[in-house]
Amino acid sequence: MTFPATARADHELGVNAIRRARELTEPVLRELVDRLGPSLGGIGRYHFGWWAGGSGAAGKALRPTLAVLAAEAVGAEAVDAVPAAAAVELVHNFSLIHDDIIDNDELRRGQPAVWKEYGVPAAILIGDALHSEAFGVLLSSGHPGAPAAAMRLATAMREVVVGQVDDIRFTARPWTGEQAVSVAEYQAMAEAKTGALLAFSAAGGALLGGAEAAVADCFDRLGRHLGLAFQCTDDVLGIWGDPVRTGKPVFGDLREGKRTLPVIAALAAGGAASERLGVLVERGVRTDFELRLAAELVEEAGGREFAEQEAARHLAEVEDCLTSLAMPAETRGSFDALAQSLIGRSR
Amino acid sequence: MTFPATARADHELGVNAIRRARELTEPVLRELVDRLGPSLGGIGRYHFGWWAGGSGAAGKALRPTLAVLAAEAVGAEAVDAVPAAAAVELVHNFSLIHDDIIDNDELRRGQPAVWKEYGVPAAILIGDALHSEAFGVLLSSGHPGAPAAAMRLATAMREVVVGQVDDIRFTARPWTGEQAVSVAEYQAMAEAKTGALLAFSAAGGALLGGAEAAVADCFDRLGRHLGLAFQCTDDVLGIWGDPVRTGKPVFGDLREGKRTLPVIAALAAGGAASERLGVLVERGVRTDFELRLAAELVEEAGGREFAEQEAARHLAEVEDCLTSLAMPAETRGSFDALAQSLIGRSR
């Protein structure tokens, strides 16, 4: 893989930012999990992959990185953002643990999900513990910006939960007709479920870096649009992504009958391809022939183009936010790299 | 029922305090639950009994009352304590909703538990939402004492969850021998599971009333000992309580094989009755004859007396805390009434 010179430099900045965020955040998380005592702490270490047979790596550290970069953007040190970075990792992981119960997902990061390994009661309780710890780590930091950040975390978590409920409720609705999920409803759900927590990462990091509320609001918008751009891209990749690069089966989301933006937009578009797609998805898409046909109809009805345009629009909003905030060139480059690593997976 | 003159006056103070706390807190809770949106909000209203077929009354309002009295004790108005009162009701109810899933309890306040009515996913999510809202309502109050109170709430919730995990793990251990649950282990679990949240109620109310950390610590101790006194009493009532007054079957806790202080203390006491009890509970107590025998052996081995002494000891600690804090006579009377309403149910 070759990069043009600037993109390569940005890429390195991004890699460094992720390493910096991870190195600062992980020891704090480990200490918090250990403090939960032998039994609950052991379950926490299992989830994070911190055990003899575990991966040792808890995800991509995207959210902590966003917090760290936001603090640096407002002139503070990376270390100032750590309570926000740790808090967002804690709530993100609490959500994963509870979502795996809710969605009956048996695997998480290549190992049995917590509920599968330790049972539903233990999974509920470790999730609840991480949820409280998130507020605890923020507030106990004593940072002047911590109470405001913790308040935003509470608001973000309300959005995340409401988004999760809407996502579940969507599955009970028909694909077509007046009761179908609209593009606007889907986007509101995606903003709540995915955007709100990235918004907190950025705004929380900025607040701990000493930013005023108005500046934090700008970082909130940045994180929110980044989350939405990510979701649009993820929805496109879920159908047309290269299985080798995404790690998911081809047409995976269509196979699972997941409601995603390209499909919802294609069904709402009207016209021959849209109507044919409606008949197909109402019946259920099962065979390889039907999967390929459905993907073609989504594309023909304009669903793929719409989702890609939406991703580009949200990415442009991210760039607008970044430009409106004066920040060191290196920090700006790191943000760009982070956005690319999220969005650029399709290229 | 007749009271001596002072006790009757105190009783009225207690009733007034509960009414005051409930009237101030409930509108705040209703507004928060409504803000969760149509779907999640509806589940919340169902849980709290705020629906056409519901009871309309969400529990005894003990925890909010403790918060309100603590604020009044340090010279503030009842209304100042409301964010802490609402927060503690929110986390208490979130715990009930999650505990009902964990314990497979199908009924809550005379109606199907949330998980039974709406399913486990909805019950997990409404619990998570109330959990976040608790921190939100505290921090958004803008009270100078709110960040310190929210930090104590996070610590209390860690204790509650660890206590709940220990309680579950105890059931897997033998009744007798070296692996048996010790009196000290049981008491630590009870302090975490029951005491920590009452400690937060009192300390949180005091902090919002403007108390210094040291004074809040004293209220923390007060709430903690009140919780422990309550638990000891509840354990005695669970075996010997009058079913008409407790609403529970006679020998209820023995029938369910629950580990409670009188039984654990009796098994640890040694001697003939203790050993005979050990043989009986290891085999399982089932028939009415066995239940009566077990209750007699617990009493003979000193388990009941120990639990009653412990209740009295914790109540004396509560009184010590109250005496060490200068407060208006009326507030003191209300505290005494609240303690009596918790503890005095056996008399």
Side-chain angles (χ1 to χ4, degrees), chain A residues 35 39 98 125 128 131-133 139-140 150-151 157-158 161 165 169, chain B residues 35 39 98 125 128 131-133 139-140 150-151 157-158 161 165 169:
Chain A
R35 228 199 295 156
S39 142
H98 280 190
L125 288 167
D128 292 343
H131 190 175
S132 279
E133 290 298 325
L139 292 162
S140 65
M151 216 178 94
M157 289 315 296
R158 183 200 306 146
V161 173
V165 170
R169 294 181 70 221
Chain B
R35 227 199 297 156
S39 141
H98 281 189
L125 289 167
D128 291 343
H131 190 174
S132 279
E133 291 298 326
L139 292 162
S140 65
M151 216 179 94
M157 289 315 296
R158 184 200 306 146
V161 173
V165 170
R169 295 181 70 220

PDB file of all heavy atoms in Angstrom, chain A residues 35 39 98 125 128 131-133 139-140 150-151 157-158 161 165 169, chain B residues 35 39 98 125 128 131-133 139-140 150-151 157-158 161 165 169:
ATOM      1  N   ARG A  35      -9.597  -3.064  40.846  1.00  0.00           N
ATOM      2  CA  ARG A  35     -10.232  -2.591  42.065  1.00  0.00           C
ATOM      3  C   ARG A  35     -11.633  -3.164  42.260  1.00  0.00           C
ATOM      4  O   ARG A  35     -12.227  -3.014  43.327  1.00  0.00           O
ATOM      5  CB  ARG A  35     -10.299  -1.054  42.052  1.00  0.00           C
ATOM      6  CG  ARG A  35      -9.800  -0.450  43.359  1.00  0.00           C
ATOM      7  CD  ARG A  35     -10.290   0.961  43.520  1.00  0.00           C
ATOM      8  NE  ARG A  35      -9.738   1.851  42.487  1.00  0.00           N
ATOM      9  CZ  ARG A  35     -10.324   2.982  42.108  1.00  0.00           C
ATOM     10  NH1 ARG A  35     -11.464   3.362  42.650  1.00  0.00           N
ATOM     11  NH2 ARG A  35      -9.766   3.737  41.181  1.00  0.00           N
ATOM     12  N   SER A  39     -13.502 -11.408  41.965  1.00  0.00           N
ATOM     13  CA  SER A  39     -14.472 -12.083  41.112  1.00  0.00           C
ATOM     14  C   SER A  39     -14.890 -11.207  39.929  1.00  0.00           C
ATOM     15  O   SER A  39     -14.740 -11.586  38.763  1.00  0.00           O
ATOM     16  CB  SER A  39     -15.654 -12.499  41.991  1.00  0.00           C
ATOM     17  OG  SER A  39     -16.851 -12.362  41.335  1.00  0.00           O
ATOM     18  N   HIS A  98     -23.391  -5.489  27.484  1.00  0.00           N
ATOM     19  CA  HIS A  98     -24.852  -5.590  27.568  1.00  0.00           C
ATOM     20  C   HIS A  98     -25.467  -5.864  26.194  1.00  0.00           C
ATOM     21  O   HIS A  98     -26.415  -6.647  26.078  1.00  0.00           O
ATOM     22  CB  HIS A  98     -25.436  -4.315  28.192  1.00  0.00           C
ATOM     23  CG  HIS A  98     -25.322  -4.280  29.691  1.00  0.00           C
ATOM     24  ND1 HIS A  98     -25.939  -3.348  30.483  1.00  0.00           N
ATOM     25  CD2 HIS A  98     -24.665  -5.094  30.546  1.00  0.00           C
ATOM     26  CE1 HIS A  98     -25.677  -3.585  31.755  1.00  0.00           C
ATOM     27  NE2 HIS A  98     -24.889  -4.634  31.818  1.00  0.00           N
ATOM     28  N   LEU A 125     -23.901  -7.553  35.609  1.00  0.00           N
ATOM     29  CA  LEU A 125     -23.257  -6.879  36.740  1.00  0.00           C
ATOM     30  C   LEU A 125     -21.919  -6.238  36.366  1.00  0.00           C
ATOM     31  O   LEU A 125     -21.625  -5.122  36.803  1.00  0.00           O
ATOM     32  CB  LEU A 125     -23.091  -7.856  37.908  1.00  0.00           C
ATOM     33  CG  LEU A 125     -24.421  -8.195  38.605  1.00  0.00           C
ATOM     34  CD1 LEU A 125     -24.258  -9.395  39.525  1.00  0.00           C
ATOM     35  CD2 LEU A 125     -24.943  -6.989  39.383  1.00  0.00           C
ATOM     36  N   ASP A 128     -22.739  -3.078  34.579  1.00  0.00           N
ATOM     37  CA  ASP A 128     -23.169  -2.035  35.512  1.00  0.00           C
ATOM     38  C   ASP A 128     -21.979  -1.442  36.256  1.00  0.00           C
ATOM     39  O   ASP A 128     -21.925  -0.229  36.491  1.00  0.00           O
ATOM     40  CB  ASP A 128     -24.172  -2.614  36.519  1.00  0.00           C
ATOM     41  CG  ASP A 128     -25.500  -2.986  35.872  1.00  0.00           C
ATOM     42  OD1 ASP A 128     -25.766  -2.512  34.747  1.00  0.00           O
ATOM     43  OD2 ASP A 128     -26.266  -3.743  36.490  1.00  0.00           O
ATOM     44  N   HIS A 131     -20.037   0.867  34.027  1.00  0.00           N
ATOM     45  CA  HIS A 131     -20.848   2.071  33.815  1.00  0.00           C
ATOM     46  C   HIS A 131     -20.620   3.080  34.947  1.00  0.00           C
ATOM     47  O   HIS A 131     -20.324   4.251  34.704  1.00  0.00           O
ATOM     48  CB  HIS A 131     -22.313   1.633  33.732  1.00  0.00           C
ATOM     49  CG  HIS A 131     -23.279   2.693  33.286  1.00  0.00           C
ATOM     50  ND1 HIS A 131     -24.605   2.421  33.060  1.00  0.00           N
ATOM     51  CD2 HIS A 131     -23.147   4.013  33.028  1.00  0.00           C
ATOM     52  CE1 HIS A 131     -25.229   3.523  32.680  1.00  0.00           C
ATOM     53  NE2 HIS A 131     -24.369   4.498  32.658  1.00  0.00           N
ATOM     54  N   SER A 132     -20.721   2.622  36.176  1.00  0.00           N
ATOM     55  CA  SER A 132     -20.475   3.517  37.318  1.00  0.00           C
ATOM     56  C   SER A 132     -19.028   3.992  37.362  1.00  0.00           C
ATOM     57  O   SER A 132     -18.753   5.154  37.662  1.00  0.00           O
ATOM     58  CB  SER A 132     -20.793   2.813  38.638  1.00  0.00           C
ATOM     59  OG  SER A 132     -22.170   2.843  38.899  1.00  0.00           O
ATOM     60  N   GLU A 133     -18.097   3.072  37.077  1.00  0.00           N
ATOM     61  CA  GLU A 133     -16.676   3.437  37.121  1.00  0.00           C
ATOM     62  C   GLU A 133     -16.366   4.568  36.145  1.00  0.00           C
ATOM     63  O   GLU A 133     -15.458   5.373  36.382  1.00  0.00           O
ATOM     64  CB  GLU A 133     -15.786   2.235  36.795  1.00  0.00           C
ATOM     65  CG  GLU A 133     -15.766   1.150  37.855  1.00  0.00           C
ATOM     66  CD  GLU A 133     -15.215   1.617  39.184  1.00  0.00           C
ATOM     67  OE1 GLU A 133     -14.297   2.448  39.212  1.00  0.00           O
ATOM     68  OE2 GLU A 133     -15.717   1.140  40.215  1.00  0.00           O
ATOM     69  N   LEU A 139     -14.965  11.942  37.617  1.00  0.00           N
ATOM     70  CA  LEU A 139     -15.187  12.869  38.728  1.00  0.00           C
ATOM     71  C   LEU A 139     -14.051  12.837  39.732  1.00  0.00           C
ATOM     72  O   LEU A 139     -13.719  13.863  40.332  1.00  0.00           O
ATOM     73  CB  LEU A 139     -16.517  12.539  39.407  1.00  0.00           C
ATOM     74  CG  LEU A 139     -17.728  12.848  38.521  1.00  0.00           C
ATOM     75  CD1 LEU A 139     -18.969  12.128  39.029  1.00  0.00           C
ATOM     76  CD2 LEU A 139     -17.981  14.351  38.460  1.00  0.00           C
ATOM     77  N   SER A 140     -13.432  11.665  39.916  1.00  0.00           N
ATOM     78  CA  SER A 140     -12.367  11.582  40.917  1.00  0.00           C
ATOM     79  C   SER A 140     -11.076  12.207  40.408  1.00  0.00           C
ATOM     80  O   SER A 140     -10.120  12.347  41.157  1.00  0.00           O
ATOM     81  CB  SER A 140     -12.136  10.130  41.336  1.00  0.00           C
ATOM     82  OG  SER A 140     -11.650   9.396  40.240  1.00  0.00           O
ATOM     83  N   ALA A 150     -18.709  14.939  32.816  1.00  0.00           N
ATOM     84  CA  ALA A 150     -19.538  13.847  33.339  1.00  0.00           C
ATOM     85  C   ALA A 150     -21.007  14.078  32.988  1.00  0.00           C
ATOM     86  O   ALA A 150     -21.743  13.129  32.706  1.00  0.00           O
ATOM     87  CB  ALA A 150     -19.362  13.707  34.844  1.00  0.00           C
ATOM     88  N   MET A 151     -21.429  15.350  33.004  1.00  0.00           N
ATOM     89  CA  MET A 151     -22.810  15.660  32.632  1.00  0.00           C
ATOM     90  C   MET A 151     -23.050  15.299  31.171  1.00  0.00           C
ATOM     91  O   MET A 151     -24.087  14.734  30.821  1.00  0.00           O
ATOM     92  CB  MET A 151     -23.096  17.124  32.859  1.00  0.00           C
ATOM     93  CG  MET A 151     -24.491  17.367  33.337  1.00  0.00           C
ATOM     94  SD  MET A 151     -24.706  19.119  33.615  1.00  0.00           S
ATOM     95  CE  MET A 151     -25.399  19.588  32.019  1.00  0.00           C
ATOM     96  N   MET A 157     -25.050   8.892  27.191  1.00  0.00           N
ATOM     97  CA  MET A 157     -25.508   7.532  27.473  1.00  0.00           C
ATOM     98  C   MET A 157     -27.014   7.409  27.297  1.00  0.00           C
ATOM     99  O   MET A 157     -27.513   6.360  26.891  1.00  0.00           O
ATOM    100  CB  MET A 157     -25.096   7.088  28.882  1.00  0.00           C
ATOM    101  CG  MET A 157     -23.609   6.834  29.040  1.00  0.00           C
ATOM    102  SD  MET A 157     -22.897   5.871  27.672  1.00  0.00           S
ATOM    103  CE  MET A 157     -23.767   4.309  27.872  1.00  0.00           C
ATOM    104  N   ARG A 158     -27.755   8.490  27.614  1.00  0.00           N
ATOM    105  CA  ARG A 158     -29.200   8.445  27.355  1.00  0.00           C
ATOM    106  C   ARG A 158     -29.434   8.261  25.859  1.00  0.00           C
ATOM    107  O   ARG A 158     -30.245   7.442  25.436  1.00  0.00           O
ATOM    108  CB  ARG A 158     -29.885   9.714  27.838  1.00  0.00           C
ATOM    109  CG  ARG A 158     -31.408   9.651  27.649  1.00  0.00           C
ATOM    110  CD  ARG A 158     -32.062  11.011  27.655  1.00  0.00           C
ATOM    111  NE  ARG A 158     -31.709  11.732  28.851  1.00  0.00           N
ATOM    112  CZ  ARG A 158     -31.534  13.061  28.906  1.00  0.00           C
ATOM    113  NH1 ARG A 158     -31.699  13.796  27.834  1.00  0.00           N
ATOM    114  NH2 ARG A 158     -31.196  13.640  30.041  1.00  0.00           N
ATOM    115  N   VAL A 161     -28.613   4.635  24.728  1.00  0.00           N
ATOM    116  CA  VAL A 161     -29.628   3.649  25.109  1.00  0.00           C
ATOM    117  C   VAL A 161     -30.892   3.821  24.277  1.00  0.00           C
ATOM    118  O   VAL A 161     -31.463   2.840  23.777  1.00  0.00           O
ATOM    119  CB  VAL A 161     -29.934   3.735  26.623  1.00  0.00           C
ATOM    120  CG1 VAL A 161     -31.098   2.826  26.981  1.00  0.00           C
ATOM    121  CG2 VAL A 161     -28.708   3.357  27.441  1.00  0.00           C
ATOM    122  N   VAL A 165     -32.566   1.075  21.740  1.00  0.00           N
ATOM    123  CA  VAL A 165     -33.974   0.663  21.802  1.00  0.00           C
ATOM    124  C   VAL A 165     -34.633   0.849  20.434  1.00  0.00           C
ATOM    125  O   VAL A 165     -35.345  -0.039  19.954  1.00  0.00           O
ATOM    126  CB  VAL A 165     -34.733   1.475  22.878  1.00  0.00           C
ATOM    127  CG1 VAL A 165     -36.242   1.237  22.781  1.00  0.00           C
ATOM    128  CG2 VAL A 165     -34.239   1.113  24.264  1.00  0.00           C
ATOM    129  N   ARG A 169     -36.402  -1.865  18.007  1.00  0.00           N
ATOM    130  CA  ARG A 169     -37.809  -1.716  17.604  1.00  0.00           C
ATOM    131  C   ARG A 169     -37.958  -1.693  16.081  1.00  0.00           C
ATOM    132  O   ARG A 169     -38.974  -2.127  15.553  1.00  0.00           O
ATOM    133  CB  ARG A 169     -38.410  -0.458  18.216  1.00  0.00           C
ATOM    134  CG  ARG A 169     -38.496  -0.557  19.735  1.00  0.00           C
ATOM    135  CD  ARG A 169     -39.112   0.683  20.325  1.00  0.00           C
ATOM    136  NE  ARG A 169     -40.526   0.766  20.014  1.00  0.00           N
ATOM    137  CZ  ARG A 169     -41.152   1.893  19.665  1.00  0.00           C
ATOM    138  NH1 ARG A 169     -40.477   3.013  19.544  1.00  0.00           N
ATOM    139  NH2 ARG A 169     -42.448   1.889  19.426  1.00  0.00           N
TER     140      ARG A 169
ATOM    141  N   ARG B  35     -38.650  11.983  29.559  1.00  0.00           N
ATOM    142  CA  ARG B  35     -37.634  12.441  28.606  1.00  0.00           C
ATOM    143  C   ARG B  35     -36.934  11.280  27.897  1.00  0.00           C
ATOM    144  O   ARG B  35     -36.194  11.476  26.928  1.00  0.00           O
ATOM    145  CB  ARG B  35     -36.593  13.306  29.340  1.00  0.00           C
ATOM    146  CG  ARG B  35     -36.306  14.598  28.577  1.00  0.00           C
ATOM    147  CD  ARG B  35     -35.003  15.213  29.023  1.00  0.00           C
ATOM    148  NE  ARG B  35     -35.046  15.598  30.428  1.00  0.00           N
ATOM    149  CZ  ARG B  35     -33.972  15.728  31.192  1.00  0.00           C
ATOM    150  NH1 ARG B  35     -32.762  15.487  30.688  1.00  0.00           N
ATOM    151  NH2 ARG B  35     -34.078  16.093  32.458  1.00  0.00           N
ATOM    152  N   SER B  39     -40.917   4.979  23.891  1.00  0.00           N
ATOM    153  CA  SER B  39     -40.794   3.553  24.124  1.00  0.00           C
ATOM    154  C   SER B  39     -40.144   3.252  25.479  1.00  0.00           C
ATOM    155  O   SER B  39     -40.719   2.578  26.336  1.00  0.00           O
ATOM    156  CB  SER B  39     -40.036   2.947  22.942  1.00  0.00           C
ATOM    157  OG  SER B  39     -39.172   1.969  23.348  1.00  0.00           O
ATOM    158  N   HIS B  98     -32.523  -4.709  37.259  1.00  0.00           N
ATOM    159  CA  HIS B  98     -31.481  -5.663  36.873  1.00  0.00           C
ATOM    160  C   HIS B  98     -31.473  -6.874  37.814  1.00  0.00           C
ATOM    161  O   HIS B  98     -31.298  -8.007  37.365  1.00  0.00           O
ATOM    162  CB  HIS B  98     -30.115  -4.977  36.832  1.00  0.00           C
ATOM    163  CG  HIS B  98     -29.888  -4.174  35.576  1.00  0.00           C
ATOM    164  ND1 HIS B  98     -28.678  -3.623  35.235  1.00  0.00           N
ATOM    165  CD2 HIS B  98     -30.735  -3.841  34.567  1.00  0.00           C
ATOM    166  CE1 HIS B  98     -28.787  -2.993  34.075  1.00  0.00           C
ATOM    167  NE2 HIS B  98     -30.025  -3.095  33.657  1.00  0.00           N
ATOM    168  N   LEU B 125     -31.906  -2.408  29.197  1.00  0.00           N
ATOM    169  CA  LEU B 125     -31.742  -1.055  28.672  1.00  0.00           C
ATOM    170  C   LEU B 125     -32.397   0.012  29.549  1.00  0.00           C
ATOM    171  O   LEU B 125     -31.813   1.077  29.763  1.00  0.00           O
ATOM    172  CB  LEU B 125     -32.274  -0.986  27.237  1.00  0.00           C
ATOM    173  CG  LEU B 125     -31.387  -1.719  26.224  1.00  0.00           C
ATOM    174  CD1 LEU B 125     -32.105  -1.885  24.893  1.00  0.00           C
ATOM    175  CD2 LEU B 125     -30.056  -0.982  26.022  1.00  0.00           C
ATOM    176  N   ASP B 128     -30.111   0.526  32.430  1.00  0.00           N
ATOM    177  CA  ASP B 128     -28.932   1.314  32.039  1.00  0.00           C
ATOM    178  C   ASP B 128     -29.286   2.794  31.906  1.00  0.00           C
ATOM    179  O   ASP B 128     -28.499   3.674  32.294  1.00  0.00           O
ATOM    180  CB  ASP B 128     -28.377   0.805  30.709  1.00  0.00           C
ATOM    181  CG  ASP B 128     -27.761  -0.587  30.831  1.00  0.00           C
ATOM    182  OD1 ASP B 128     -27.469  -1.002  31.969  1.00  0.00           O
ATOM    183  OD2 ASP B 128     -27.568  -1.243  29.791  1.00  0.00           O
ATOM    184  N   HIS B 131     -29.668   4.376  35.282  1.00  0.00           N
ATOM    185  CA  HIS B 131     -28.339   4.466  35.874  1.00  0.00           C
ATOM    186  C   HIS B 131     -27.635   5.762  35.436  1.00  0.00           C
ATOM    187  O   HIS B 131     -27.138   6.535  36.259  1.00  0.00           O
ATOM    188  CB  HIS B 131     -27.545   3.222  35.459  1.00  0.00           C
ATOM    189  CG  HIS B 131     -26.238   3.020  36.164  1.00  0.00           C
ATOM    190  ND1 HIS B 131     -25.488   1.893  35.968  1.00  0.00           N
ATOM    191  CD2 HIS B 131     -25.537   3.778  37.044  1.00  0.00           C
ATOM    192  CE1 HIS B 131     -24.379   1.976  36.708  1.00  0.00           C
ATOM    193  NE2 HIS B 131     -24.393   3.112  37.353  1.00  0.00           N
ATOM    194  N   SER B 132     -27.627   6.016  34.129  1.00  0.00           N
ATOM    195  CA  SER B 132     -27.014   7.252  33.627  1.00  0.00           C
ATOM    196  C   SER B 132     -27.767   8.487  34.096  1.00  0.00           C
ATOM    197  O   SER B 132     -27.151   9.496  34.456  1.00  0.00           O
ATOM    198  CB  SER B 132     -26.992   7.257  32.098  1.00  0.00           C
ATOM    199  OG  SER B 132     -25.905   6.508  31.621  1.00  0.00           O
ATOM    200  N   GLU B 133     -29.111   8.413  34.070  1.00  0.00           N
ATOM    201  CA  GLU B 133     -29.914   9.572  34.478  1.00  0.00           C
ATOM    202  C   GLU B 133     -29.603   9.980  35.922  1.00  0.00           C
ATOM    203  O   GLU B 133     -29.711  11.156  36.262  1.00  0.00           O
ATOM    204  CB  GLU B 133     -31.412   9.262  34.361  1.00  0.00           C
ATOM    205  CG  GLU B 133     -31.918   9.118  32.939  1.00  0.00           C
ATOM    206  CD  GLU B 133     -31.769  10.387  32.109  1.00  0.00           C
ATOM    207  OE1 GLU B 133     -31.885  11.501  32.656  1.00  0.00           O
ATOM    208  OE2 GLU B 133     -31.524  10.259  30.906  1.00  0.00           O
ATOM    209  N   LEU B 139     -25.613  16.002  38.407  1.00  0.00           N
ATOM    210  CA  LEU B 139     -24.637  16.947  37.851  1.00  0.00           C
ATOM    211  C   LEU B 139     -25.306  18.139  37.184  1.00  0.00           C
ATOM    212  O   LEU B 139     -24.773  19.254  37.226  1.00  0.00           O
ATOM    213  CB  LEU B 139     -23.729  16.217  36.870  1.00  0.00           C
ATOM    214  CG  LEU B 139     -22.808  15.195  37.541  1.00  0.00           C
ATOM    215  CD1 LEU B 139     -22.261  14.206  36.518  1.00  0.00           C
ATOM    216  CD2 LEU B 139     -21.668  15.900  38.275  1.00  0.00           C
ATOM    217  N   SER B 140     -26.485  17.923  36.589  1.00  0.00           N
ATOM    218  CA  SER B 140     -27.133  19.037  35.897  1.00  0.00           C
ATOM    219  C   SER B 140     -27.784  20.003  36.878  1.00  0.00           C
ATOM    220  O   SER B 140     -28.244  21.071  36.473  1.00  0.00           O
ATOM    221  CB  SER B 140     -28.167  18.518  34.894  1.00  0.00           C
ATOM    222  OG  SER B 140     -29.204  17.868  35.572  1.00  0.00           O
ATOM    223  N   ALA B 150     -21.821  13.115  43.252  1.00  0.00           N
ATOM    224  CA  ALA B 150     -21.815  12.163  42.134  1.00  0.00           C
ATOM    225  C   ALA B 150     -20.648  11.188  42.263  1.00  0.00           C
ATOM    226  O   ALA B 150     -20.760  10.004  41.923  1.00  0.00           O
ATOM    227  CB  ALA B 150     -21.747  12.909  40.807  1.00  0.00           C
ATOM    228  N   MET B 151     -19.511  11.696  42.775  1.00  0.00           N
ATOM    229  CA  MET B 151     -18.371  10.805  42.972  1.00  0.00           C
ATOM    230  C   MET B 151     -18.691   9.747  44.021  1.00  0.00           C
ATOM    231  O   MET B 151     -18.354   8.570  43.873  1.00  0.00           O
ATOM    232  CB  MET B 151     -17.161  11.616  43.409  1.00  0.00           C
ATOM    233  CG  MET B 151     -15.880  11.077  42.847  1.00  0.00           C
ATOM    234  SD  MET B 151     -14.528  12.112  43.389  1.00  0.00           S
ATOM    235  CE  MET B 151     -14.028  11.190  44.842  1.00  0.00           C
ATOM    236  N   MET B 157     -22.108   2.729  44.022  1.00  0.00           N
ATOM    237  CA  MET B 157     -22.586   1.750  43.042  1.00  0.00           C
ATOM    238  C   MET B 157     -21.584   0.618  42.851  1.00  0.00           C
ATOM    239  O   MET B 157     -21.964  -0.523  42.599  1.00  0.00           O
ATOM    240  CB  MET B 157     -22.906   2.426  41.711  1.00  0.00           C
ATOM    241  CG  MET B 157     -24.150   3.299  41.756  1.00  0.00           C
ATOM    242  SD  MET B 157     -25.561   2.525  42.595  1.00  0.00           S
ATOM    243  CE  MET B 157     -25.864   1.137  41.510  1.00  0.00           C
ATOM    244  N   ARG B 158     -20.269   0.944  42.955  1.00  0.00           N
ATOM    245  CA  ARG B 158     -19.283  -0.142  42.886  1.00  0.00           C
ATOM    246  C   ARG B 158     -19.516  -1.108  44.046  1.00  0.00           C
ATOM    247  O   ARG B 158     -19.516  -2.329  43.866  1.00  0.00           O
ATOM    248  CB  ARG B 158     -17.858   0.407  42.941  1.00  0.00           C
ATOM    249  CG  ARG B 158     -16.815  -0.699  42.776  1.00  0.00           C
ATOM    250  CD  ARG B 158     -15.446  -0.292  43.288  1.00  0.00           C
ATOM    251  NE  ARG B 158     -15.029   0.936  42.660  1.00  0.00           N
ATOM    252  CZ  ARG B 158     -14.292   1.873  43.260  1.00  0.00           C
ATOM    253  NH1 ARG B 158     -13.886   1.694  44.501  1.00  0.00           N
ATOM    254  NH2 ARG B 158     -13.966   2.960  42.622  1.00  0.00           N
ATOM    255  N   VAL B 161     -22.675  -3.292  43.458  1.00  0.00           N
ATOM    256  CA  VAL B 161     -22.488  -4.356  42.468  1.00  0.00           C
ATOM    257  C   VAL B 161     -21.596  -5.460  43.030  1.00  0.00           C
ATOM    258  O   VAL B 161     -21.894  -6.651  42.877  1.00  0.00           O
ATOM    259  CB  VAL B 161     -21.916  -3.792  41.147  1.00  0.00           C
ATOM    260  CG1 VAL B 161     -21.567  -4.911  40.193  1.00  0.00           C
ATOM    261  CG2 VAL B 161     -22.918  -2.843  40.498  1.00  0.00           C
ATOM    262  N   VAL B 165     -22.605  -9.386  43.601  1.00  0.00           N
ATOM    263  CA  VAL B 165     -21.812 -10.516  43.091  1.00  0.00           C
ATOM    264  C   VAL B 165     -21.468 -11.477  44.232  1.00  0.00           C
ATOM    265  O   VAL B 165     -21.596 -12.700  44.094  1.00  0.00           O
ATOM    266  CB  VAL B 165     -20.523 -10.012  42.403  1.00  0.00           C
ATOM    267  CG1 VAL B 165     -19.583 -11.164  42.098  1.00  0.00           C
ATOM    268  CG2 VAL B 165     -20.865  -9.247  41.131  1.00  0.00           C
ATOM    269  N   ARG B 169     -22.381 -15.394  44.712  1.00  0.00           N
ATOM    270  CA  ARG B 169     -21.332 -16.407  44.858  1.00  0.00           C
ATOM    271  C   ARG B 169     -21.487 -17.209  46.147  1.00  0.00           C
ATOM    272  O   ARG B 169     -21.105 -18.381  46.209  1.00  0.00           O
ATOM    273  CB  ARG B 169     -19.944 -15.759  44.805  1.00  0.00           C
ATOM    274  CG  ARG B 169     -19.663 -15.145  43.435  1.00  0.00           C
ATOM    275  CD  ARG B 169     -18.300 -14.542  43.389  1.00  0.00           C
ATOM    276  NE  ARG B 169     -17.262 -15.546  43.411  1.00  0.00           N
ATOM    277  CZ  ARG B 169     -16.130 -15.448  44.093  1.00  0.00           C
ATOM    278  NH1 ARG B 169     -15.911 -14.395  44.853  1.00  0.00           N
ATOM    279  NH2 ARG B 169     -15.233 -16.390  44.034  1.00  0.00           N
TER     280      ARG B 169
END
